């Protein structure tokens, strides 16, 4: 499964994947996704029917906006492949570091990010609609990943 580019024309299909991967209160609709993809420096990668990542690189820094894999497609390496693709896309756009937010209780995503060299650099209290905290993670993109 090699992810390919996703664009605003794919927004409805991306929203359907998002709705399968996240709780209803955190779901992004097609309009929100198309808006995200229209931001300067934004880009998307996906495997249709399985999962996608949206990211943005601007001013030498990059962020993961969202990462979603359909439950039946999980634990087969797709999340890791999407993240690796987003990291490569950020490097290609001149970013020196990648940031993201992840729910403190999201063990699957935290393990995925730690495995790709992300480290905790901050915490946003009660960031999510369910009242849970977000951890801010960062990976430096120049040189080897932190901790390796
Ligand atoms: C997080 C998510 C994207 C992972 O996708 P995935 O395709 O299952 O990820 P991978 O198969 O590439 O897993 C890579 C590694 O992540 C870790 N991981 C993934 N799911 C895990 C789980 N349920 N429990 C523990 N570790 C997990 C493991 O280290 C795994 O490596 P391994 O399978 O060799 O043990 C997926 O679970 C998802 O869409 N979750 C809901 C949405 C979400 O939380 N997005 C991230 C928001 S910041």
């Amino acid at each position: 499964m090699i992810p390919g580019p996703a664009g605003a024309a794919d927004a409805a299909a991306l929203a359907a994947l998002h709705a399968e991967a996240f709780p209803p209160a955190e779901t992004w609709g097609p309009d929100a996704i198309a808006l995200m993809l229209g931001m300067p420096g934004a880009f998307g990668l996906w495997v249709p029917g399985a999962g996608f990542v949206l990211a943005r690189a601007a001013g030498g820094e990059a962020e993961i906006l969202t990462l979603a894999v359909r439950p039946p497609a999980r634990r087969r390496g797709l999340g890791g492949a999407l993240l690796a693709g987003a990291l490569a896309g950020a490097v290609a756009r001149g970013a020196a570091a990648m940031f993201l937010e992840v729910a403190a209780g999201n063990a699957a995503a935290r393990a995925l990010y730690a495995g790709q060299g992300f480290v905790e650099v901050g915490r946003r209290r009660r960031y999510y609609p369910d009242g849970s905290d977000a951890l801010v993670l960062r990976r430096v993109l120049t040189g080897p990943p932190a901790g390796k």
Side-chain angles (χ1 to χ4, degrees):
M1 286 187 293
I2 300 173
D10 305 311
L14 297 175
L17 290 173
H18 200 271
E20 277 198 74
F22 285 93
E26 292 173 36
T27 292
W28 294 357
D31 291 352
I33 287 177
L35 212 64
M36 295 262 174
L37 279 166
M39 293 189 302
F43 61 99
L45 294 170
W46 73 326
V47 171
F52 74 102
V53 63
L54 300 186
R56 180 153 99 115
E61 286 185 351
E63 61 178 325
I64 299 289
L65 300 170
T66 193
L67 170 65
V69 173
R70 283 183 71 214
R74 289 180 189 166
R75 292 315 281 268
R76 292 188 213 152
L78 178 56
L82 290 165
L83 182 58
L87 289 165
V91 169
R93 289 165 174 81
M98 174 77 92
F99 290 83
L100 60 85
E101 277 124 16
V102 60
N106 188 344
R110 288 183 64 180
L112 169 64
Y113 295 134
Q116 293 216 21
F118 282 83
V119 295
E120 188 180 328
V121 293
R123 178 182 282 260
R124 301 194 206 284
R125 303 240 171 242
R126 303 187 62 80
Y127 182 81
Y128 293 104
D130 69 356
S132 62
D133 292 353
L135 304 179
V136 182
L137 307 186
R138 181 182 67 159
R139 187 185 140 168
V140 173
L141 299 177
T142 48
K148 298 258 163 110

